Each structure stands twice: as structure tokens, then as C-alpha cells.
Amino acid sequence: MFRKTISLVFLFGLFSANAQQNDSITKIDSTSHPLKFNYKQLIIPSVLIGYGVIGLESDQLLSFNHQIKNEVTEDIDEKVTIDDFSQYAPAVSVYALNAFGVKGKNNMRDRSVILVTSYAIMATTVLGLKSISHVERPDGSSNNSFPSGHTATAFMGAEFLYQEYKDKSIWYGIAGYAVATGTGLFRIYNNRHWLTDVAAGAGIGILSTKIAYWINPYITKKLFKSDSENKSTSMIMPFYNGQQYGLGFAKVF
């Protein structure tokens, strides 16, 4: 059953990248390319979040969670920590690709504002839900299992990578979603999260980035009085890695 779950979640990752290929893009100026709102873009994240929320009370979904846990604890002995790093890989890839000359949709300033905005939305949502849901982790280590913050971070970055590079090649988005899906699977593999935690985290991550693109024109207008590329700005970004809270500082030139 766990192998079937892996296959289904991986296929979802590929489907997510392809299903969103028809997102509409409106060009505002030469450097800013906000995502145009379309209610169809809400379907996938809403289904994922809905599955996770319903799973908090559904006996059938809770039973399925425990079946997966039992298979994990029975068949897998060695834990891995790759998910602590892979959660950041899709978002970092955007800057790495730009550094190697593969230009994305937005310039450094705009993409950085979008990333900070999406992270703030995602982190606030995840921490808020963790504080009110009090779901015990599969390994019994704490009561902050729902939703998966690692998975939310990974899918936030995957959607960010997809939006920045889907006009170059859909395969950038597929690669990002594959890594994000793997991150979610490793959270289950390591007995740190239930399937419902991972599903909800994925939905929150995707939706957070979409919202960031939708509201970016307004935020950019408020933050920057001038459209000059050379104008620098500083940003503070909160982070949560599953155990620790903190603030990150970024300066964009």
C-alpha cells in the first residue's frame, strides 16, 4: 500500500505541473509579470487542503494514515534527512538558474518580493494551523504534525520555480514538483508526518505562491516609489524548519 501511495503522490506532482500550464499571464511592464487570477487555479490546492482538513475527523482517512504508518515502521528501519534540505531546493533553483544565465520571468527584485511574500503567507498559515490542530506526529514526538511545514516549503518553491520558468520549459516545473513530492514522501518515510499532513502542506505551499503572484503588483507599488532596477531594499523573512523559528535577512540590489 505504501508503494501505491508513493506512486499516486509522485503522479500528482507531475500532474500539478502540467495541469497549471494553461495559467494566464498578464504583462504589466518589461520586468513584472504577475499571475492573472483564474478560479481554476484554486482547484488543485483546494483539493489537497480539503483532503488534509477532512482527514482530521474522517475515520476512513485516519485509518488510511495509520495503515501507511504501520507499513513504514514495519518495512523501513533507517531514517534519512534529505528532506531537511530538499524542501529548499526548488526555490534555490530559481536563483541558481539565473546565476547560470537562464533568465526567469521576473527580475531579481520582483522575484525576491514574490518569494518573501509567499513564504510569509505559507509560514503564517502553517504555524497557525499547527497551533490550533494539535495533531500528534506518527512517531509521537510532538503535537504539531498538521500540516507538514517541510512539504509546504517544498511545494511553495516548486510553484515558484514553475511560474518563473514555465515559458522556458515545462520540465523545470516538473522537476521542481518531483523534488517537492519526494520531500513529502520522505516526511512520511521518516515517520514524521501523516499523509493528510503532507497533502495539506502541498496545497498550502502551492496556494501561497499563487497568492504572492496575484498580489505582487500591489506590494511592489507600495514598497517601491521608483521602478529603478538599481534601487536596493532590505527584507526580513521568517522561517520555521520543523523545530526552530527564526528570521532571515535579505538585501536586494
Side-chain angles (χ1 to χ4, degrees):
M1 181 176 293
F2 184 59
R3 291 185 181 90
K4 291 181 179 179
T5 302
I6 290 177
S7 300
L8 288 172
V9 177
F10 180 74
L11 286 173
F12 157 73
L14 298 181
F15 172 75
S16 296
N18 283 280
Q20 298 177 79
Q21 190 172 10
N22 293 323
D23 284 349
S24 299
I25 302 295
T26 300
K27 185 175 181 180
I28 297 294
D29 56 46
S30 61
T31 58
S32 179
H33 302 261
L35 182 66
K36 184 177 179 180
F37 177 79
N38 185 332
Y39 73 91
K40 293 181 180 178
Q41 299 164 10
L42 299 174
I43 295 176
I44 291 175
S46 296
V47 168
L48 289 168
I49 296 171
Y51 178 87
V53 172
I54 292 172
L56 294 174
E57 300 293 337
S58 170
D59 292 337
Q60 184 175 0
L61 295 183
L62 289 173
S63 175
F64 188 52
N65 277 345
H66 283 280
Q67 290 178 44
I68 295 174
K69 168 188 161 59
N70 292 337
E71 290 212 17
V72 168
T73 55
E74 179 182 350
D75 299 335
I76 300 174
D77 297 323
E78 185 178 353
K79 302 296 187 293
V80 294
T81 59
I82 189 173
D83 46 315
D84 289 334
F85 306 98
S86 64
Q87 61 175 320
Y88 302 113
V92 171
S93 297
V94 173
Y95 292 90
L97 286 168
N98 272 268
F100 283 102
V102 185
K103 300 302 181 183
K105 183 178 281 79
N106 292 291
N107 60 31
M108 174 69 78
R109 186 197 70 182
D110 290 332
R111 89 171 69 99
S112 297
V113 171
I114 289 169
L115 180 60
V116 171
T117 304
S118 59
Y119 196 97
I121 295 170
M122 181 275 297
T124 301
T125 304
V126 167
L127 294 177
L129 289 173
K130 283 181 179 291
S131 66
I132 64 176
S133 60
H134 301 294
V135 176
E136 186 178 21
R137 291 183 183 271
D139 61 4
S141 61
S142 61
N143 293 319
N144 63 347
S145 187
F146 181 86
S148 170
H150 282 63
T151 308
T153 301
F155 274 85
M156 177 204 74
E159 177 67 12
F160 179 52
L161 176 62
Y162 168 75
Q163 293 297 339
E164 286 296 309
Y165 285 99
K166 66 179 181 179
D167 293 335
K168 295 284 187 180
S169 172
I170 187 63
W171 289 103
Y172 289 114
I174 290 176
Y177 269 100
V179 172
T181 301
T183 300
L185 291 175
F186 275 115
R187 298 308 285 165
I188 299 173
Y189 178 100
N190 288 326
N191 205 26
R192 294 291 289 165
H193 280 290
W194 309 100
L195 177 60
T196 46
D197 302 337
V198 169
I204 291 169
I206 295 170
L207 186 58
S208 296
T209 299
K210 287 188 178 296
I211 292 174
Y213 274 91
W214 291 334
I215 66 177
N216 183 60
Y218 174 80
I219 292 179
T220 300
K221 183 178 179 180
K222 291 294 183 181
L223 285 178
F224 306 103
K225 300 298 184 182
S226 170
D227 289 332
S228 173
E229 290 281 336
N230 296 322
K231 183 176 180 179
S232 65
T233 184
S234 300
M235 294 173 285
I236 297 177
M237 179 171 63
F239 72 85
Y240 175 68
N241 63 11
Q243 295 179 330
Q244 300 171 321
Y245 302 87
L247 292 174
F249 177 79
K251 189 174 183 64
V252 182
F253 299 90

